[in-house]
Structure formats: C-alpha cells, structure tokens
Amino acid sequence: MTLFGGDHGTTATRDDSGVDTKSFEIPKRLIWEAWKRVAANQGGPGVDRESIETFRNRLARNLYALWNRMSSGSYFPQPVKEVLIPKGDGFRPLGVPTITDRVAQMAVKLLVEPGIDAIFHSSSFGYRPNKSAKQAVAQARRNSWRYDWVVDIDLKSFFDTIDHGLLRRAVEKHVSEPWARLYIRRWLESPVQKQTGELVARDRGTPQGGVITPPTMLHTFHSVA
C-alpha cells in the first residue's frame, strides 16, 4: 500500500509492490503502524533535537525516507542521547534515540515481538504486551499458595553490561528476518552522546530508553537462563 502520498497521508491508494527492487521487503504499512505507536508514546527529541511535532510536519517525507533506507539496507541510526535521571544517591543513564530511530525500532519490535513473547515463562510480566503489574501480583499470590520457597535474583547493571556477542546469538536464534537482525546489530553499535557532546563507543550493554531494548534484552536472558 502507498501510505506516504502526502505530508500527512494516512490512507492506502495502490499496491505496495512498487517498481524499485529493494534489498529487503518491508511493508510501508509496518512503518506507518510504528509511527502511530511512537507518536502516541510521545517522548522527547534525540541528538537531532527533532520533536514529535516537527517530525509530523513532514510526516510523509520522513516516513518514506526511513522506509526507503531500511528497505535498501542503507539505514544507519544516529547516536543515542544520554539523559541522566536521579536514582538513589546517584543517577541512572537513559538513552534517547531520535524520532526516526524510534520509528525504525518500533517497526522491528512489532515484527519480532509476537514470536519472542511466545518463549517467555507464564510468570514473566515485565515489558510484555497485554501484561500488567496487577497481573504479576495476582500470579505471585497464586505462587505463594503452591510453593513454600522464593528465589530472589538481581542482575546488577544488566542493561549496561550485557555482552553483545551473547545478545547477537540470541537474536540470530529467535529472529529470522535478515533486515531485523542487521538493524538490531547497528543499534547495538550506535555510540552514546554524553551531555558534554562527547561520543562514546559501546562494546557491551545497551542504553535503557530505546523501543527495542526491553524485549531484546529480556529474550536474551530467557535464551540463556
């Protein structure tokens, strides 16, 4: 379907097959649905300082450009902006991708999440679709009647220290689409821009705050647990 016909185009007018041959077959509909999720979630701008509203002002062009780059394999994410939020006596670093990169990440999330979610344990509730804290409490209550023991585990700095090789192996095991694998790898390799403007390369860990981070990290943990 052609979804990007005007600057605020929202409807399909013809087949999505197109004339150009692309390296990857990515439906325009997927990019459009990803944009709707990102717009609904709001959030601040990334390193390019482009807000949701600014992105929306050139919506058709922005979405088409992203789809075209992702379909051709020429999409590379921008650095992730570091934002520090208070945590206890210190700060927790969050990574804020650009709006364009959030749409790209959401497209991959929408594609791979159903398959990844299927491998999770029934007692796992964090970052999962259609799961809530109330459901987790109810499950904990049921478990307390069935078991007389508890295992309490805290993985310190899990997001900050996860091994990239381990994560890539988990992605290759559970994600079959080559383009999704490619872009997950590029997101992992994308540097972080500190508040000073310094760009810091990463060889491990993934910034909290990206769309793709929670399901990717958690499915890695389930793969090796």
Side-chain angles (χ1 to χ4, degrees), residues 34-45:
W35 154 252
K36 290 196 295 184
R37 302 288 185 93
V38 170
N41 291 340
Q42 292 296 310

Side-chain angles (χ1 to χ4, degrees), residues 69-80:
R69 295 201 306 272
M70 293 185 74
S71 297
S72 65
S74 62
Y75 161 73
F76 286 87
Q78 296 191 62
V80 176

Side-chain angles (χ1 to χ4, degrees), residues 97-158:
T98 65
I99 305 300
T100 297
D101 291 335
R102 295 214 289 271
V103 174
Q105 290 186 13
M106 182 62 76
V108 170
K109 179 177 183 288
L110 293 175
L111 180 73
V112 306
E113 189 172 59
I116 290 176
D117 189 67
I119 71 172
F120 280 74
H121 193 277
S122 60
S123 292
S124 179
F125 292 88
Y127 300 106
R128 294 182 62 191
N130 303 314
K131 299 291 184 179
S132 69
K134 290 183 178 180
Q135 290 175 317
V137 170
Q139 182 66 49
R141 178 176 295 176
R142 289 191 293 269
N143 289 345
S144 68
W145 287 102
R146 296 177 59 190
Y147 307 105
D148 57 2
W149 49 268
V150 173
V151 177
D152 185 14
I153 300 176
D154 181 20
L155 300 179
K156 183 179 180 180
S157 301
F158 181 50

Side-chain angles (χ1 to χ4, degrees), residues 3-4 7-10 28-42 50-60 62-63 66 99-100 102-107 110:
L3 300 174
F4 315 138
D7 279 346
H8 295 279
T10 60
K28 290 190 179 79
R29 173 72 66 182
L30 180 63
I31 304 301
W32 172 247
E33 292 299 327
W35 154 252
K36 290 196 295 184
R37 302 288 185 93
V38 170
N41 291 340
Q42 292 296 310
E50 184 175 47
S51 67
I52 290 285
E53 287 306 314
T54 303
F55 188 95
R56 196 194 307 270
N57 289 337
R58 295 168 58 91
L59 184 59
N62 287 333
L63 294 184
L66 175 61
I99 305 300
T100 297
R102 295 214 289 271
V103 174
Q105 290 186 13
M106 182 62 76
L110 293 175

